[in-house]
């Protein structure tokens, strides 16, 4: 097997020869990466190779893509593939296609080449490394055929890097076993769902309870000393240390509807696996590690969110117990149906004493495209954005589309359209500020009627409360100005106000040290999404680590994914953070 020492000490020519076959017919990548030696880790080598491609010209990138064969294409039929490509296509079963599947793939290849001018690239061994099925490959082919050319070129390059990563693992004899276990746990939990078609796990349902019970069983298997489910349904595992203090960590195990497998749950699995390894080594830390699977964060079933972490900080509002879901079931009734007391008194016992804790850290899938676009597996979160959310309606006058002159219209939808464009322009003018109108509705709309009413939502976020409030004030002022100028009126109802949660400087630096020790570059980024950490921030110092997401960083979606290699790195980073806290 190859070693880093071999690569680091080889001549430039030998370096290129040792990496032959990593990138298909493209020795220029290794040639340019050689100057970045020495590499501290295999992960550092992977990042360096990907950086060469990212910084290359578009022509070089297109040449790399075109160096790859079509899936089940002419080269495969003629036996002209490289040994690496032959092995990968065989493992995916592409050499055993039915006549119908083969014909389908040939048609997709032709359509794809006609649209993009380069072959479809997919790392057929997938994020788990065990391979996609032919059905999954065809479905991915069909989905990506609809993409924008720029988006698809970037995705092809990401897939090429994944192919290279798997080939490097084979060359080095590396198997990301902890990452594979995390991936398998995520797949197993996804079997518990409120619906059959897609993963949906909302608060206090049978699926939700089954997930909690499975997490507790796995925690016991990992060697946690104490495992329980508290009064709000949080799953709590404690691995006792030799000192009086405790480090708190975890994330949520509920999901949105039509969810992915890793949002929230990744941040429970990572510390569980670290505890499993500590237990197997018979090692105790000078502090206890408390892992919490927060029972609810997403606000999908009841009109309140962060139920789990709110209880931990003592911020659970007893009035929430009388809130109802779409079926008219109160939160109290739902809790009691799954064996929880459903009383304010019981939930109050979940509150933690901050004097007992060192702080809170959370590992989470990024839920965005930034790390993927930079070819980086891990990122350091600087702040969780503060936000303001509204639902609103502009009211105008419904009138005939043919008979009403343009200058005499009171078009509610046009007013909202103007607000959308202003929000986009205003948010884009300030770094790390975002604004979104995600919902639009014209009640009883008709193709030949000027909209008299138009409902909309507003989601305004920024890394600081000051930047968020400035955006909020400008957007609301613009809404008023638009309506006065156009002869419209409006309503605006606040639905959420959350303050920004800057990462604690000390804990952020600890994450940075852990990532650096892995040989990876540091990239700092804000979190545009909310997390349990932003609630725990009210009680304890906190900092987060992001893990790159696949498929362009999509989340809250069945396509949400992480690779076993990135998962492995997040586990290693968490273990190194604990080592640094432990000291020499």
């Amino acid at each position: 097997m190859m070693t880093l020492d071999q690569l680091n000490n080889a001549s430039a020519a030998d370096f290129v020869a040792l990496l032959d076959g990593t990138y298909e017919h493209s020795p220029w990548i290794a040639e340019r990466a050689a100057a970045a030696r020495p590499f501290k880790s295999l992960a550092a080598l992977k990042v360096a190779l990907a950086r060469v491609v990212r910084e290359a010209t578009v022509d070089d990138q297109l040449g790399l893509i075109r160096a790859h064969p079509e899936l089940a294409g002419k080269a495969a039929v003629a036996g002209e593939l490289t040994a690496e490509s032959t092995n990968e296509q065989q493992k995916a079963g592409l050499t055993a296609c039915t006549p119908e599947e083969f014909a389908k793939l040939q048609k997709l290849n032709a359509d794809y080449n006609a649209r993009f001018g380069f072959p479809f690239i997919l790392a057929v061994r997938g994020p788990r490394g065990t391979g996609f099925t032919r059905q999954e490959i065809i479905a991915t082919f069909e989905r990506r055929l609809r993409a924008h050319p720029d988006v698809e070129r970037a995705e092809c390059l990401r897939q090429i890097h994944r192919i290279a990563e798997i080939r490097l693992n084979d060359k080095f004899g590396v198997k990301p076993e902890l990452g594979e276990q995390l991936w398998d746990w995520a797949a197993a939990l996804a079997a518990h769902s409120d619906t059959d078609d897609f993963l949906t796990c909302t608060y206090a349902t049978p699926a939700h309870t089954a997930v909690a019970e499975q997490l507790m069983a796995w925690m016991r298997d990992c060697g946690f000393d104490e495992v329980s489910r508290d009064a709000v349904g949080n799953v709590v595992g404690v691995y006792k240390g030799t000192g009086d203090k405790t480090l708190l960590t975890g994330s949520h195990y509920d999901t949105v509807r039509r969810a992915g497998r890793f949002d929230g749950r990744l941040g429970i699995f990572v510390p569980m696996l670290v505890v499993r390894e500590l237990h197997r080594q018979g090692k105790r830390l000078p502090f206890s590690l408390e892992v919490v699977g927060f029972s609810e964060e997403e606000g999908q079933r009841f009109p309140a969110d962060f139920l789990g972490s709110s209880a931990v900080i003592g911020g659970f509002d007893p009035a929430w117990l009388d809130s109802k879901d779409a079926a008219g079931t109160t939160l109290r009734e739902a809790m009691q149906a799954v064996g929880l007391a459903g009383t304010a008194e019981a939930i109050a016992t979940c509150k933690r004493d901050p004097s007992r804790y060192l702080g809170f850290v959370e590992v989470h899938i990024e839920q965005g495209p930034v790390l993927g676009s930079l070819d980086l597996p891990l990122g350091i979160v600087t702040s969780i954005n503060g936000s303001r959310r509204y639902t609103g309606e502009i009211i105008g006058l419904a009138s005939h589309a043919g008979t009403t002159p343009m200058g005499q219209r009171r078009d509610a939808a046009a007013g909202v359209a103007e607000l959308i464009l202003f929000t986009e322009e205003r948010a884009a003018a300030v770094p790390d500020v975002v604004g979104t109108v995600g919902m639009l509705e014209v009640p009883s709309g008709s193709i030949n009627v000027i909209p008299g009413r138009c409902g909309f939502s507003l989601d305004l976020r920024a890394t600081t409360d000051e930047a968020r409030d400035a955006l909020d004030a400008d957007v609301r002022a613009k809404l008023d100005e638009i309506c006065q100028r156009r002869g419209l009126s409006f309503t605006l109802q606040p639905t959420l106000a959350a303050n920004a949660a800057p990462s604690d400087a000390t804990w952020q630096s600890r994450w940075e040290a852990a990532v650096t020790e892995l040989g990876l570059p540091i990239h700092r980024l804000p979190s545009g999404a909310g997390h349990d950490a932003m609630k725990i921030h009210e009680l304890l110092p906190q900092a987060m680590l992001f893990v790159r997401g696949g498929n362009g960083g999509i989340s809250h979606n069945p396509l949400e994914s992480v690779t076993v290699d990135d998962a492995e790195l997040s586990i290693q980073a968490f273990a190194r953070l604990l080592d640094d806290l432990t000291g020499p």
Side-chain angles (χ1 to χ4, degrees), residues 478-506:
K478 187 64 175 181
L479 173 60
D480 184 65
E481 185 271 325
I482 290 169
C483 288
Q484 289 194 38
R485 173 166 39 83
R486 287 178 171 270
L488 308 168
S489 60
F490 71 89
T491 62
L492 195 64
Q493 178 64 42
T495 60
L496 175 72
N499 291 335
S503 297
D504 176 79
T506 299

Side-chain angles (χ1 to χ4, degrees), residues 171-220:
K171 286 177 181 289
F172 279 80
V174 168
K175 185 175 172 61
E177 293 180 350
L178 295 177
E180 290 174 351
Q181 179 62 81
L182 185 151
W183 214 92
D184 293 343
W185 275 346
L189 277 197
H192 303 295
S193 177
D194 299 343
T195 61
D196 294 333
D197 294 338
F198 296 98
L199 171 58
T200 300
C201 182
T202 57
Y203 185 69
T205 61
H208 186 262
T209 301
V211 168
E213 291 174 346
Q214 182 62 78
L215 285 172
M216 289 190 287
W218 285 337
M219 283 183 171
R220 294 186 187 100

Side-chain angles (χ1 to χ4, degrees), residues 63 70 107 117 257 391-392 452 524:
E70 294 180 338
K107 177 67 163 58
R257 291 175 170 83
T391 56
R524 302 174 184 90

Side-chain angles (χ1 to χ4, degrees), residues 339-351:
L340 303 174
T343 67
E345 294 76 17
I347 294 169
T349 65
C350 299
K351 185 179 187 299

Side-chain angles (χ1 to χ4, degrees), residues 291-314:
V291 181
V292 181
F294 295 108
S295 58
E296 200 282 338
E297 185 251 29
E298 297 288 5
Q300 293 291 300
R301 183 176 178 187
F302 294 94
D305 51 13
F306 296 104
L307 299 181
S309 49
S310 292
V312 166
I313 67 170

Side-chain angles (χ1 to χ4, degrees), residues 446-489:
S446 177
I447 194 169
N448 61 349
V449 176
I450 297 164
R453 308 175 78 92
C454 186
F456 63 95
S457 63
L458 269 175
D459 186 319
L460 310 173
R461 309 190 191 203
T463 51
T464 66
D465 294 339
E466 293 78 12
R468 174 206 60 195
D469 292 345
L471 173 66
D472 181 36
D474 286 352
V475 169
R476 286 188 290 109
K478 187 64 175 181
L479 173 60
D480 184 65
E481 185 271 325
I482 290 169
C483 288
Q484 289 194 38
R485 173 166 39 83
R486 287 178 171 270
L488 308 168
S489 60

